[in-house]
Amino acid sequence: MEFWNNRKMGSQPMFHRSIVPMFRYPMSIDLLKRCPLFAGLKDEDLQKVRAIAALRQVKKKDVLFSDGEEARGFYMILSGKIKLYKISSEGKEQILHVVSAPGSFAEAALFLEGSYPAFAEALVDSQLLFFPKRDFIGLIEKNPRLSINMIVSLSHFLRGFASLIEELSLKEVSSRIAKYLIDLSIKSSKGGKHAEEVELDLSKTQLASKLGTISETLSRTLAKMKAKGIIDVRKNHIVILNRRGLEELASGLKI
């Protein structure tokens, strides 16, 4: 086991990292095709990507890397869920993004000045593919399609962060919750129809962190939305009773 702090000793809590083995993974290239980052690549190029990949298995709450740690590569998720987050000098956590299979994360670190810009922690036991920085940059230099995919991936993250900044700085907590529920409904849609009942993909504590609030405020706001007949709350499931009302909240209407 390895115990470590971030760079500013005493300013943030100590983290615990489990050292887990990495080994070459004799996987099918079909797994790589599921990841948007590798969409459109020829099989021969996917074979080259597979050749540099290494499997990493992590347990729930394992920290993959810290804010400011030397960036050695990026990850693709085969199974599980990873949260990316920052921690303030006061110790407050702000979740930036939650990534699940078959997504990838930390690509931006390949082009930064040698360090990861946030923390990454497993929300559940997860299985990941790790791509070493030097080897992957070598592939990018030889493959225009991979370069374009990388630009698209980073653009999606940039748009997501711009939206996060807008919501945290300009919108009420009720608007953030409403937008989150709408997005979750769209994500859970089947046959072109948006889901009317969704399962929260984060604990209430984690969701509060993602939405820039605290658990008590989140619970009170959900209770108000329930009292207004907009939603019904059933443990970790939310039933959307009034979609139009939810959309009005998401657009900025106060509850």
Side-chain angles (χ1 to χ4, degrees):
M1 298 294 182
E2 176 185 354
F3 294 87
W4 51 282
N5 266 319
N6 73 316
R7 288 177 298 173
K8 295 182 179 179
M9 297 295 292
S11 64
Q12 296 184 12
M14 179 172 284
F15 292 85
H16 165 262
R17 172 188 291 172
S18 296
I19 302 301
V20 294
M22 271 190 208
F23 49 90
R24 296 299 170 185
Y25 184 43
M27 64 177 178
S28 166
I29 59 173
D30 290 338
L31 288 174
L32 293 175
K33 290 179 179 179
R34 295 168 51 207
C35 182
L37 185 60
F38 304 126
L41 292 184
K42 298 178 181 178
D43 285 359
E44 61 187 71
D45 294 322
L46 289 171
Q47 297 281 4
K48 295 176 182 177
V49 173
R50 183 181 66 176
I52 68 169
L55 182 70
R56 183 166 186 176
Q57 299 185 38
V58 293
K59 297 293 185 181
K60 180 179 179 180
K61 295 188 177 181
D62 276 351
V63 176
L64 290 160
F65 53 76
S66 66
D67 186 354
E69 181 180 333
E70 179 186 356
R72 297 179 175 86
F74 76 98
Y75 297 84
M76 171 188 166
I77 303 179
L78 296 177
S79 64
K81 193 178 299 182
I82 305 294
K83 71 172 178 178
L84 307 176
Y85 62 101
K86 300 280 284 188
I87 296 181
S88 71
S89 57
E90 292 79 24
K92 181 181 178 181
E93 178 183 300
Q94 173 62 57
I95 294 179
L96 303 175
H97 196 52
V98 175
V99 191
S100 55
S104 55
F105 63 95
E107 302 97 318
L110 298 180
F111 307 101
L112 297 176
E113 296 180 357
S115 62
Y116 292 112
F119 294 89
E121 180 182 319
L123 292 175
V124 296
D125 291 354
S126 302
Q127 191 175 61
L128 316 170
L129 286 179
F130 174 77
F131 300 92
K133 179 176 181 177
R134 181 180 298 177
D135 293 342
F136 195 79
I137 288 178
L139 293 180
I140 290 177
E141 291 173 346
K142 299 174 183 177
N143 194 310
R145 178 72 256 177
L146 191 55
S147 300
I148 293 172
N149 286 3
M150 181 66 74
I151 293 172
V152 171
S153 177
L154 295 178
S155 297
H156 282 309
F157 273 111
L158 181 60
R159 184 173 63 182
F161 288 139
S163 177
L164 176 63
I165 292 171
E166 177 185 0
E167 290 175 16
L168 293 178
S169 59
L170 301 177
K171 292 188 176 182
E172 301 284 338
V173 173
S174 56
S175 294
R176 298 176 217 159
I177 295 174
K179 183 179 183 303
Y180 165 78
L181 292 176
I182 290 173
D183 290 345
L184 198 56
S185 172
I186 294 172
K187 183 179 178 181
S188 305
S189 61
K190 294 181 179 179
K193 185 177 180 180
H194 297 162
E196 297 304 320
E197 180 174 342
V198 297
E199 181 178 4
L200 299 181
D201 57 357
L202 298 171
S203 70
K204 287 190 176 180
T205 300
Q206 293 163 350
L207 180 56
S209 174
K210 177 180 174 65
L211 298 177
T213 186
I214 58 176
S215 298
E216 291 78 4
T217 301
L218 174 64
S219 295
R220 284 197 300 269
T221 306
L222 288 172
K224 288 180 181 178
M225 293 168 69
K226 179 179 179 179
K228 292 286 185 179
I230 298 173
I231 62 170
D232 189 19
V233 182
R234 302 173 183 173
K235 294 185 178 180
N236 64 330
H237 285 76
I238 304 291
V239 180
I240 300 174
L241 303 175
N242 183 348
R243 181 171 291 274
R244 182 175 179 180
L246 194 64
E247 291 172 345
E248 289 176 346
L249 274 181
S251 67
L253 184 68
K254 293 185 178 180
I255 193 168

